[in-house]
């Protein structure tokens, strides 16, 4: 079927004058080119089949590039720049340089070669595992429950959620300074770990500093933060003689930086306004062989403190205060 906008049909042979062959009307050059065209086309198609590309090995336009993987020890090169790793939040600087295997290269900074252990207090699953966390464990000088549930705000925001969030924020800040950061848990286990295991993780990591992150559950009206320092204890597997001094230094630096960064005041209900408290009944401190402190960032049962603890912006400040205190302690 022929439409009005279709090109005219070729002249039929019957319309050619009988005294001249139909092909005689074409110039000799046209005939020669027509004869060569099929041969050239066939040659070009054969070249594409053999090379698999349109020119010089380039991928034809409009076709997606195949994924490129670089394996250690191979000579392969990626044909495109690697996709930058996602940042950790608003305002994040350009992603770190990529290693040959594609993984982010460790940051270099004032804490390069240092190991920090962060211990996010409690676990959101502890509420459903009371039998497990109530089992007694040896803390050297005594026996205590494996762990506790932690507290909540009056609206139900859990201490375990708070502590893990602040810990992760602090980790990002410390890793940016070159530190190796080890967690006692990532919130990916059903309950725990027990207090003796938390201490063991710090010891086995040969940590230069250990900080356990918490929030208090005192009565309303009690406000502010405090840092818990290890007392001098000895008994069984507990012997804090070597860590009492450096732990106090760590605690003082965290208290100073935490207060300045968050704008919070030292607790008004213990510590005589210093923000420092010494205790001999915490297994995580008694069993530690590395400088270690507990930080109670505020009182979840006080509405004013709770409002701060539930604020992501304030939690970032809290993490900054912790990271700055650790950095100062380690001489970074």
């Amino acid at each position: 079927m022929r439409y009005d906008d279709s090109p005219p049909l070729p002249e039929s042979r019957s319309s050619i004058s009988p005294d001249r062959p139909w092909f005689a009307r074409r110039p000799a050059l046209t005939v020669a080119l027509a004869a060569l065209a099929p041969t050239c086309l066939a040659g070009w198609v054969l070249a594409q089949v053999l090379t698999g590309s349109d020119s010089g090995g380039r991928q034809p336009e409009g076709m997606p590039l195949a994924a490129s993987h670089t394996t250690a020890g191979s000579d392969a090169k990626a044909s495109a720049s690697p996709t930058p790793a996602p940042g950790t939040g608003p305002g994040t600087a350009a992603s770190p340089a990529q290693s040959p295997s594609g993984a982010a290269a460790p940051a270099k900074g004032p804490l390069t070669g240092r190991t920090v252990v962060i211990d996010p207090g409690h676990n959101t699953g502890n509420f459903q595992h009371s039998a497990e966390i109530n089992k007694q464990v040896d803390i050297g000088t005594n026996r205590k429950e494996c762990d506790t549930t932690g507290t909540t705000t009056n609206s139900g925001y859990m201490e375990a959620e708070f502590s893990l969030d602040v810990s992760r924020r602090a980790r990002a800040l410390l890793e940016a300074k070159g530190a190796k950061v080890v967690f006692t848990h990532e919130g990916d286990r059903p309950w725990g770990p027990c207090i003796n295991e938390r201490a063991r993780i710090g010891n086995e990591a040969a940590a230069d500093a250990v900080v356990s992150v918490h929030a208090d559950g005192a009565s309303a009206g009690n406000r502010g933060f405090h840092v818990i320092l290890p007392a001098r204890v000895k008994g069984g597997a507990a012997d804090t003689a070597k860590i009492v001094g450096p732990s106090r230094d760590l605690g003082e630096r965290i208290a100073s930086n935490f207060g300045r960064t968050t704008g919070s005041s030292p607790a008004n209900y213990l510590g005589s306004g210093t923000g420092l408290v010494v205790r001999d009944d915490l297994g995580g401190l008694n069993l530690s062989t590395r400088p270690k402190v507990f930080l109670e960032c505020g009182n979840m049962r006080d509405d004013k403190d709770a409002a701060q603890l539930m604020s992501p912006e304030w939690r970032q400040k809290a993490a900054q205060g912790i990271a700055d205190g650790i950095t100062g302690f380690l001489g970074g």
Side-chain angles (χ1 to χ4, degrees):
M1 181 179 292
R2 187 171 183 271
Y3 296 95
D4 292 339
D5 58 351
S6 61
L9 291 171
E11 228 180 354
S12 67
R13 293 188 185 187
S14 61
S15 66
I16 305 298
S17 173
D19 61 337
R20 293 185 65 189
W22 67 272
F23 56 81
R25 288 172 174 249
R26 274 69 176 172
L29 179 60
T30 302
V31 174
L33 290 174
L36 289 172
T39 303
C40 294
L41 178 61
W44 180 84
V45 171
L46 179 59
Q48 300 310 300
V49 171
L50 293 176
T51 63
S53 63
D54 64 336
S55 176
R58 294 193 300 271
Q59 190 77 11
E61 289 184 6
M63 296 291 289
L65 289 169
S68 176
H69 298 279
T70 303
T71 305
S74 74
D75 294 327
K77 302 290 183 182
S79 61
S81 299
T83 303
T88 56
T92 301
S95 60
Q98 300 293 304
S99 68
S101 63
K108 299 294 183 182
L111 299 185
T112 299
R114 299 298 194 123
T115 299
V116 176
V117 171
I118 298 181
D119 176 27
H122 312 290
N123 185 320
T124 57
N126 283 359
F127 284 94
Q128 286 78 43
H129 293 272
S130 57
E132 291 88 347
I133 67 170
N134 284 331
K135 288 183 178 179
Q136 300 280 304
V137 297
D138 186 0
I139 66 168
T141 57
N142 201 352
R143 294 186 68 83
K144 289 190 70 172
E145 295 83 2
C146 157
D147 202 1
T148 61
T149 60
T151 187
T152 69
T153 64
N154 293 325
S155 62
Y157 181 50
M158 299 171 68
E159 179 188 356
E161 295 178 82
F162 167 83
S163 64
L164 187 57
D165 181 77
V166 172
S167 295
R168 286 172 172 164
R169 293 170 185 268
R171 173 172 60 189
L173 294 168
L174 291 165
E175 287 180 340
K177 293 178 179 291
K180 174 185 177 182
V181 181
V182 178
F183 269 30
T184 57
H185 74 100
E186 286 277 5
D188 55 352
R189 52 188 293 168
W191 55 273
C194 293
I195 53 178
N196 56 342
E197 182 182 352
R198 291 172 187 263
R200 184 169 66 250
I201 291 170
N203 296 343
E204 292 179 350
D208 296 295
V210 186
V211 178
S212 190
V213 180
H214 291 260
D216 210 355
S219 58
N222 294 316
R223 297 196 61 194
F225 71 90
H226 65 278
V227 180
I228 304 174
L229 312 175
R232 187 178 293 271
V233 298
K234 183 174 176 61
D239 186 354
T240 62
K242 293 182 179 180
I243 69 165
V244 168
S247 295
R248 174 169 284 275
D249 185 14
L250 172 63
E252 289 175 346
R253 289 178 182 273
I254 289 178
S256 175
N257 283 277
F258 188 87
R260 180 171 57 253
T261 304
T262 63
S264 298
S265 299
N268 62 6
Y269 58 102
L270 75 178
S272 303
T274 65
L276 301 174
V277 178
V278 177
R279 289 178 59 173
D280 62 2
D281 62 330
L282 298 178
L285 294 180
N286 288 4
L287 296 174
S288 181
T289 60
R290 316 303 300 178
K292 182 173 182 178
V293 299
F294 277 52
L295 172 63
E296 300 282 359
C297 296
N299 179 17
M300 297 197 105
R301 290 298 185 173
D302 179 83
D303 288 341
K304 292 181 179 179
D305 267 14
Q308 293 181 332
L309 298 171
M310 290 188 291
S311 164
E313 292 78 16
W314 189 91
R315 293 198 298 270
Q316 185 63 34
K317 293 178 181 178
Q320 187 70 62
I322 294 169
D324 289 347
I326 293 172
T327 300
F329 170 72
L330 296 179

